Amino acid sequence: MQDQNKFNYIIQQADNCLILGQRLAEWCGHGPVLEQDIAMTNISLDLIGQARLLYQYASEIQEEGKTEDDLAYLRDAWDFKNVLLVEQPNGDFGKTIFRQFLYDTFSCFFYEELMKSTDERLASIAAKSHKETLYHMKWSGDWVIRLGDGTEESHNRIQQSVNELWSYKDEIISINSVDQEAEKAGYGVSLELIKNKRNEKIKAVLEEATLSTPESDYAHKGGKEGTHSEYLGYILADLQFLQRAYPGNQW
Amino acid sequence: MVISKSQIEEILDEVKDPEIPVISIADLGILRDVKVNDDGFVEVVITPTYTGCPAMMEIERDINNALKKEGINDFKITTVLSPAWSTDLMTEEGKARLKEYGIAPPNPSNEEDIECPNCGSYNTKLVSQFGSTACKSLFKCNDCLEPFDYFKCH
């Protein structure tokens, strides 16, 4: 291994992308209308693309002759370092939208900062991904406003999702030892900086959507250390089935 | 005799985007560079449009096949991410071909008023930011009533 901390740092974000991409893909063929079905699977594809770029780089740092596929298909739940937010179930369309919005408001500012990474490869992955997350944040933000400021039914339902997901919003900007070391070394970003920008964006959109902000700032944590909710096991069972049942199988 | 860069470019002109078979990878801006060293070793540099673009693998295979068909076996294909692909890299000819094919080309100066590629009307409406592929959004023409794809600025 060239750099254990850099590997861990990349895996955190790669796992966020892969798991959320998988969750969104569950909507394929089930979207409320065709256009939004396509939107969700488009975003899913972008996320899986970003995950691939990150896993490819991580596997090179790992120097064990493994590939991106090994990292995606052959690790266990405790090896995954995604935040709990991205593994939360899709729920109704509003819940998927709000989960997406919480993620997009992180990833957009995260990649914006990561573009300044001292690691050129990470900086170029970030520049590429940032362009995509701008679309995603526009889409999810517009929908939060439309549902919140929509009918009584849509307002109540997305408010319910806001309340349910609120305690999952802050793990993604919580700082662990991997983040600390990455920032110190120069290839990582300042999560403190991202937190402020992100909070402002969330506040502005919720206001426009006429949605109220839950009072408690309690945050569920554990995903970044590999302690997950029961949902991740089921996601991986689906995602990894083929490689587990038929090891080494290829297209 | 060592093959020249322009000969390689001519061969690669036959490699089209698998999703939009009227536009070459050069016109689309995916083909970033062609290098030929003194020994005749060829390097083809490409860049993805979107990170998850499923066409990239197919494009690599098509480049591979096109070069081998012309007897060129000494080459490699490199993918670069930086600077990131942008619709600004698309050539004017590429844009014209898109329009002919029925896809509205990217319009960086004004993404609100998009011309319908079927009837030329500007009385069009965005239906969805996400279209049939990651690089396109879906529009509808209010005059001829036809839906169409718009290759969005990126």
Side-chain angles (χ1 to χ4, degrees), chain A residues 168-182:
Chain A
Y168 292 99
K169 98 181 145 60
D170 281 344
E171 184 189 9
I172 206 161
I173 38 120
S174 69
I175 301 167
N176 65 9
S177 61
V178 174
D179 298 315
Q180 256 170 357
E181 206 178 315

Side-chain angles (χ1 to χ4, degrees), chain B residues 48-114:
Chain B
T49 52
Y50 283 71
T51 55
C53 181
M56 281 314 279
M57 269 162 83
E58 217 166 311
I59 288 171
E60 261 186 58
R61 201 185 56 209
D62 291 347
I63 294 173
N64 194 53
N65 291 344
L67 291 175
K68 284 195 173 148
K69 207 175 96 190
E70 298 297 324
I72 299 158
N73 294 304
D74 234 6
F75 66 86
K76 68 169 177 179
I77 302 167
T78 319
T79 303
V80 295
L81 295 175
S82 180
W85 177 83
S86 140
T87 35
D88 297 342
L89 296 169
M90 203 183 281
T91 63
E92 287 309 314
E93 191 182 334
K95 288 180 185 175
R97 291 247 176 95
L98 275 182
K99 195 175 164 190
E100 242 171 72
Y101 189 63
I103 298 171
N107 183 20
S109 57
N110 184 352
E111 284 215 282
E112 303 289 315
D113 297 320
I114 301 302

Side-chain angles (χ1 to χ4, degrees), chain A residues 30-247:
Chain A
H30 302 277
V33 287
L34 181 63
E35 287 77 11
Q36 300 316 321
D37 193 296
I38 292 170
M40 287 187 277
T41 40
N42 261 248
I43 295 170
S44 168
L45 189 63
D46 283 343
L47 289 170
I48 292 167
Q50 292 168 13
R52 285 192 62 190
L53 293 178
L54 293 164
Y55 285 137
Q56 282 162 8
Y57 188 28
S59 66
E60 288 168 34
I61 292 172
Q62 199 177 25
E63 291 183 312
E64 288 177 17
K66 290 184 179 164
T67 68
E68 50 181 311
D69 285 345
D70 293 299
L71 292 172
Y73 294 129
L74 298 175
R75 285 179 306 139
D76 284 311
W78 47 82
D79 301 319
F80 276 77
K81 300 293 151 61
N82 59 278
V83 292
L84 301 175
L85 172 74
V86 298
E87 65 197 47
Q88 294 309 302
N90 287 341
D92 60 13
F93 181 65
K95 189 165 180 187
T96 293
I97 288 293
F98 197 67
R99 183 188 63 199
Q100 191 64 32
F101 179 66
L102 287 179
Y103 176 75
D104 293 341
T105 47
F106 163 77
S107 69
C108 198
F109 297 121
F110 171 75
Y111 286 131
E112 191 179 73
E113 285 303 308
L114 194 64
M115 281 158 71
K116 302 173 211 154
S117 171
T118 53
D119 182 302
E120 270 181 42
R121 176 93 167 256
L122 277 181
S124 66
I125 292 172
K128 186 85 204 142
S129 307
H130 179 249
K131 285 181 133 192
E132 298 172 350
T133 55
L134 287 171
Y135 280 115
H136 303 170
M137 189 165 77
K138 169 130 188 29
W139 177 80
S140 58
D142 282 355
W143 270 108
V144 171
I145 294 165
R146 196 153 153 192
L147 295 174
D149 196 17
T151 64
E152 196 183 331
E153 167 90 10
S154 73
H155 175 90
N156 291 342
R157 283 173 74 164
I158 194 158
Q159 181 66 60
Q160 181 65 28
S161 303
V162 172
N163 300 347
E164 278 172 23
L165 290 169
W166 201 248
S167 53
Y168 292 99
K169 98 181 145 60
D170 281 344
E171 184 189 9
I172 206 161
I173 38 120
S174 69
I175 301 167
N176 65 9
S177 61
V178 174
D179 298 315
Q180 256 170 357
E181 206 178 315
E183 189 187 347
K184 214 169 105 194
Y187 58 81
V189 304
S190 159
L191 286 172
E192 201 57 45
L193 201 72
I194 292 165
K195 183 182 179 177
N196 295 335
K197 289 187 183 176
R198 184 203 75 148
N199 286 350
E200 274 173 38
K201 177 76 185 175
I202 293 176
K203 189 166 168 265
V205 168
L206 284 183
E207 268 175 24
E208 196 178 338
T210 70
L211 291 164
S212 60
T213 309
E215 274 172 25
S216 169
D217 266 330
Y218 176 78
H220 288 294
K221 287 180 189 165
K224 285 175 87 164
E225 313 308 323
T227 309
H228 292 278
S229 63
E230 71 270 31
Y231 301 120
L232 185 65
Y234 290 97
I235 297 172
L236 294 182
D238 228 3
L239 174 75
Q240 299 183 332
F241 166 77
L242 200 101
Q243 281 304 322
R244 298 291 193 182
Y246 306 96

